[in-house]
């Protein structure tokens, strides 16, 4: 496997791991979100499931075994109510956007276009949840925010982008 193919596979697996964590996280969001935003939460959940399934197919398409979802994920903070659920949804989208920015960098062709579209969709959802935007969605190091790389911080992703229990 070439170094370029290996980097792309690593980014694909990290995106898949992030989507697994987002699907789990939206399960929590859905259980706490108010009725007025339940449709929005369901649409995001469905979008992440579809992206997760497409990424698993992509990983198989390059001859690798897709990273499996963990049974559970550590949330970045307690989610006791609808306000916290909205905050979690925005953070999930930020983290997914960060991982897709890595896939955009590593991929070419149609996969790069798909990753850019996924990055854009996650950034738009984050803005909707948050009610405002950041300068560089998916690139915390350029947005002026503090913290670790989105794939490495909470919501079940370890430093390699793989889910943690």
């Amino acid at each position: 496997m070439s170094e370029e193919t290996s980097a792309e596979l690593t980014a694909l697996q990290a995106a898949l791991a992030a989507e697994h964590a987002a699907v789990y996280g939206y399960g929590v969001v859905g259980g706490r979100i108010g009725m007025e935003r339940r449709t929005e939460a369901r649409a995001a959940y469905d979008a992440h499931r579809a992206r997760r399934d497409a990424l698993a197919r992509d990983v198989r398409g390059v001859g690798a075994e897709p990273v499996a979802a963990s049974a559970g994920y550590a949330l970045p903070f307690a989610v006791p109510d609808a306000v916290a659920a909205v905050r979690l949804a925005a953070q999930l989208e930020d983290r997914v956007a960060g991982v897709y920015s890595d896939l955009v960098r590593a991929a070419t062709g149609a996969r790069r276009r798909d990753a850019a579209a996924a990055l854009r969709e996650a950034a738009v959802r984050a803005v909707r949840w948050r009610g405002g935007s950041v300068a560089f969605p998916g690139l915390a190091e350029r947005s002026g925010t503090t913290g670790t790389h989105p794939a490495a911080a909470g919501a079940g992703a370890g430093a390699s982008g793989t889910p943690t229990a």
Side-chain angles (χ1 to χ4, degrees):
M1 182 178 292
S2 74
E3 188 174 318
E4 183 178 298
T5 303
S6 177
E8 187 171 354
L9 177 57
T10 298
L12 272 171
Q13 293 279 36
L16 177 56
E19 290 292 7
H20 284 312
V23 167
Y24 178 90
Y26 269 103
V28 174
V29 169
R32 303 286 193 278
I33 200 75
M35 288 302 294
E36 69 280 357
R37 298 196 79 178
R38 188 154 292 161
T39 300
E40 186 178 358
R42 181 60 192 212
Y45 174 78
D46 290 343
H48 286 292
R49 286 182 58 204
R51 289 277 181 199
R52 177 202 63 196
D53 295 347
L55 286 166
R57 284 189 300 274
D58 285 350
V59 169
R60 284 187 199 95
V62 296
E65 184 65 27
V67 64
S70 292
Y73 294 86
L75 298 174
F77 50 83
V79 185
D81 56 25
V83 172
V86 168
R87 201 169 99 224
L88 177 60
Q91 193 166 34
L92 290 169
E93 296 300 345
D94 285 342
R95 290 174 179 178
V96 167
V99 174
Y100 277 113
S101 71
D102 292 341
L103 184 54
V104 168
R105 185 174 31 252
T108 59
R111 187 167 291 135
R112 184 178 195 163
R113 282 189 301 277
D114 290 345
L119 168 57
R120 182 186 67 245
E121 290 166 10
V124 168
R125 279 191 300 266
V127 168
R128 286 185 181 142
W129 285 116
R130 188 176 290 107
S133 66
V134 295
F136 297 97
L139 298 173
E141 66 274 13
R142 294 195 179 187
S143 69
T145 61
T146 58
T148 60
H149 185 278
S160 66
T162 53
T164 56

